[in-house]
Amino acid sequence: MLFSSVVFIFAFLPVALLVTYCGGHLSRTAAKITLLLISLGFYAYWRIQQLPILLFSIVVNYFIGRSIRINKEYGNDARASIYLAFGIIIDLSILGWFKYANFVANNINYVFGYHIHLNTIALPLAISFFTFQKLAFLVDSARGETRRISLVDFSLFAAFFPQLIAGPIVHFKEIIPQLQSRRFGHLITRNLLVGLVLFSIGLFKKTVIADTLSDYAGPLFRACETGHPMALVPAWLAAVSFTFQLYFDFSGYSDMAIGLGRMFGVKLPLNFHSPLRAGNIIEYWRRWHMTLQRFIVAYIFQPLSLPLNRLAAARRLQGWTAFAVSSGVPILVTFIAVGIWHGAGWTFVLFGLMHAIYICLNEVWREWTKQRRRQRKRGGLAAREPGTVQAVAGHVATLLAVIFANVLFKSSSVAAAKGMWSGMIGLHGATQTGFSGVGWGVAATLVTSVVMVFLMPNSQQIMGRFDPAFNWREWRDVAPAPLTWTWKPDLAGWMFAGATLFFGVIFIQRGQAVFLYFNF
């Protein structure tokens, strides 16, 4: 059941809100149990035979996390570490088997000539998301950042349907206090209205913009995958269209998830904050899939970086050698992990490798800039601040880097990506019949995309006066839009909300495309 489907909008969601708040009139516990059952039903609607995997993950991680917390409280850190390692092994084993077993077996067969045969393993929906959420819970428990909770509370935290399928990847401290608040389960009109507006904006992004661009970019990429040489113009149109499709698909889902959470009285953290307005690739990743980024920084990059920094200091490494050990290696490992997290395929591995190279180059540039400033300061000269030209150049370079990497993200094989890249650098001419034409609908959508991405406020900025997300105050001054407008519950505000919801629903009728991140 898609968020952008008629059955969800006009059947599932109204019923879910009604029964949850009716349960809330009885007790907070009744509201939690009702919403938990609704969330499990939402997951089972996709593929009921995979529900036991989710339930197993919830129960096992609850009791392992409980054991970790109890042992930490009694000062038995060694036993808590054993439980932590056990939980991590279980979670990664489940993820590895379902997501990567076929990929590993196929590559072993190819390299060593073996004939390992595994039946095609169906990927459980959202396994990457709920596995990372459980891993974060276990590590937070080992760090003493969780407290005693009931199985019902933990289960709802783990299965809450707005964030279950494609994030955000939430932490204990963000959600559990809200579920345990006295106000949970009580209908608050403000939450319902704010959530509905955010949901409407996200629905518009998904059905009107992302799906329109999908209908255009998809055939171009498929043609390239079949060996059709792609010329310069259609190759760039395909790459740019897909970049905007991915942007509005994920941005739209994030808005809808936060809006749905708010309807049920839960503020979810931001997962997307105008990344294409970023001036460098580091800032881009801070604002694209924000909860995944903070997960990999906290649980992969920092645990790697800190000991390697100590190693570089102990060995008295200097200059670029020290940089390679203390920063280059953690960045490389981290972003290859990011690539593999997105999918079991060499395209995703290379996607992560490309972004690792981008990040390293960005870090080298920053270090070189710092050194130049120090030299100027030692010479008695004023440090030069980045000018407009440098800012624009950084922004353009970031956009080009993202667009080229997104070709790998979309392509079904490395060969198909190479074919698209060949067209983008002009190896097959400028135009070709049948592929370069853009209809008025796609052209209008591309223009609208540019305006929305680079000029208009994003969804949380539009709803900023209503504190739309859990961590909104940390981000409200980041990436201000050239054009500003905030939603108010007046005539203009309701016309805006009504129009986005109307067109979002109308465009559902032409057919539904699954959210891209549902594949992970």
Side-chain angles (χ1 to χ4, degrees):
M1 190 188 321
L2 296 172
F3 290 168
S4 56
S5 65
V6 172
V7 65
F8 178 85
I9 296 171
F10 294 106
F12 180 88
L13 180 58
V15 171
L17 288 167
L18 179 63
V19 298
T20 298
Y21 285 119
C22 285
H25 277 290
L26 299 176
S27 68
R28 190 166 69 246
T29 301
K32 292 176 186 178
I33 294 174
T34 301
L35 186 53
L36 172 60
L37 294 175
I38 288 169
S39 297
L40 294 175
F42 176 83
Y43 189 86
Y45 181 90
W46 291 87
R47 195 174 292 166
I48 193 170
Q49 60 268 33
Q50 292 180 347
L51 181 60
I53 299 171
L54 175 62
L55 294 174
F56 175 82
S57 175
I58 291 172
V59 173
V60 168
N61 279 277
Y62 171 75
F63 284 105
I64 292 177
R66 180 174 177 270
S67 299
I68 293 172
R69 180 185 55 77
I70 291 173
N71 280 282
K72 290 290 291 186
E73 289 176 354
Y74 284 97
N76 197 337
D77 291 348
R79 182 170 291 182
S81 297
I82 293 173
Y83 277 113
L84 174 62
F86 181 59
I88 290 174
I89 290 171
I90 289 179
D91 286 333
L92 292 182
S93 297
I94 294 172
L95 179 62
W97 171 255
F98 283 104
K99 193 164 186 175
Y100 303 109
N102 285 124
F103 175 68
V104 171
N106 292 338
N107 280 278
I108 290 175
N109 291 341
Y110 178 79
V111 173
F112 298 104
Y114 294 165
H115 298 284
I116 301 172
H117 176 72
L118 298 176
N119 293 326
T120 301
I121 301 171
L123 182 66
L125 184 68
I127 189 169
S128 296
F129 288 95
F130 68 69
T131 298
F132 271 30
Q133 183 185 2
K134 308 302 185 300
L135 288 171
F137 169 74
L138 295 181
V139 175
D140 290 347
S141 297
R143 292 175 176 176
E145 297 176 2
T146 63
R147 62 175 185 267
R148 182 178 180 181
I149 56 171
S150 68
L151 179 58
V152 171
D153 282 356
F154 179 79
S155 299
L156 182 54
F157 157 74
F160 186 43
F161 79 88
Q163 54 83 34
L164 173 63
I165 305 299
I169 301 169
V170 296
H171 285 271
F172 179 98
K173 63 184 178 182
E174 295 170 332
I175 305 301
I176 292 298
Q178 297 185 69
L179 298 181
Q180 295 178 340
S181 167
R182 292 182 178 181
R183 293 182 297 176
F184 182 77
H186 295 281
L187 177 61
I188 299 174
T189 305
R190 178 190 179 97
N191 285 338
L192 198 61
L193 295 181
V194 172
L196 180 61
V197 176
L198 283 168
F199 181 86
S200 300
I201 296 172
L203 182 66
F204 179 91
K205 289 179 179 179
K206 167 60 178 170
T207 63
V208 178
I209 299 179
D211 289 354
T212 298
L213 296 177
S214 173
D215 291 342
Y216 179 75
L220 292 174
F221 274 91
R222 286 192 292 271
C224 194
E225 289 165 4
T226 59
H228 195 290
M230 197 63 57
L232 181 70
V233 172
W236 273 99
L237 285 171
V240 171
S241 296
F242 175 71
T243 295
F244 280 130
Q245 176 202 344
L246 181 62
Y247 181 97
F248 283 104
D249 188 278
F250 191 30
S251 174
Y253 173 84
S254 298
D255 292 343
M256 295 167 83
I258 291 175
L260 289 168
R262 188 64 178 265
M263 289 184 199
F264 290 92
V266 177
K267 289 183 182 179
L268 296 175
L270 292 176
N271 213 19
F272 203 89
H273 190 69
S274 298
L276 292 185
R277 293 211 287 262
N280 58 65
I281 199 68
I282 295 174
E283 187 63 24
Y284 168 84
W285 272 104
R286 286 187 67 233
R287 288 149 51 183
W288 177 284
H289 207 328
M290 296 157 67
T291 57
L292 174 63
Q293 184 271 346
R294 72 179 182 182
F295 179 94
I296 63 173
V297 167
Y299 304 119
I300 299 178
F301 179 81
Q302 289 178 351
L304 283 172
S305 179
L306 292 176
L308 288 174
N309 270 283
R310 296 191 190 102
L311 175 65
R315 297 290 180 89
R316 297 182 179 178
L317 302 178
Q318 296 180 350
W320 298 118
T321 304
F323 172 82
V325 172
S326 61
S327 295
V329 171
I331 290 171
L332 182 65
V333 173
T334 296
F335 274 89
I336 288 179
V338 169
I340 294 173
W341 179 87
H342 281 94
W346 286 109
T347 55
F348 292 108
V349 174
L350 294 178
F351 171 81
L353 179 60
M354 285 184 71
H355 276 283
I357 294 171
Y358 293 160
I359 296 287
C360 286
L361 290 174
N362 198 165
E363 291 285 8
V364 168
W365 172 259
R366 289 168 64 173
E367 185 61 30
W368 181 76
T369 303
K370 289 179 183 178
Q371 291 179 6
R372 287 195 61 188
R373 288 179 177 176
R374 293 192 197 105
Q375 291 172 359
R376 290 182 63 85
K377 189 175 181 179
R378 285 194 296 266
L381 301 175
R384 292 178 179 176
E385 295 298 326
T388 303
V389 174
Q390 184 175 334
V392 171
H395 191 190
V396 171
T398 301
L399 290 175
L400 291 175
V402 169
I403 290 170
F404 268 88
N406 281 346
V407 170
L408 267 174
F409 197 89
K410 173 64 174 175
S411 300
S412 61
S413 66
V414 177
K418 289 170 62 179
M420 188 63 73
W421 285 333
S422 297
M424 292 172 70
I425 62 176
L427 296 185
H428 303 298
T431 60
Q432 59 200 53
T433 305
F435 288 101
S436 59
V438 177
W440 70 267
V442 173
T445 305
L446 286 172
V447 171
T448 302
S449 300
V450 170
V451 172
M452 291 180 65
V453 168
F454 300 111
L455 298 179
M456 294 179 61
N458 59 38
S459 304
Q460 52 266 21
Q461 289 168 340
I462 291 174
M463 303 302 296
R465 66 174 62 233
F466 299 97
D467 198 21
F470 179 83
N471 55 343
W472 166 238
R473 295 181 183 181
E474 300 173 24
W475 291 92
R476 60 185 176 187
D477 297 323
V478 178
L483 303 177
T484 58
W485 181 73
T486 55
W487 188 84
K488 300 177 184 178
D490 55 15
L491 179 61
W494 290 121
M495 289 180 64
F496 170 81
T500 53
L501 181 60
F502 173 78
F503 284 108
V505 171
I506 289 297
F507 273 70
I508 293 175
Q509 309 307 316
R510 65 179 177 177
Q512 300 168 23
V514 174
F515 288 96
L516 294 173
Y517 269 73
F518 279 19
N519 298 320
F520 310 133

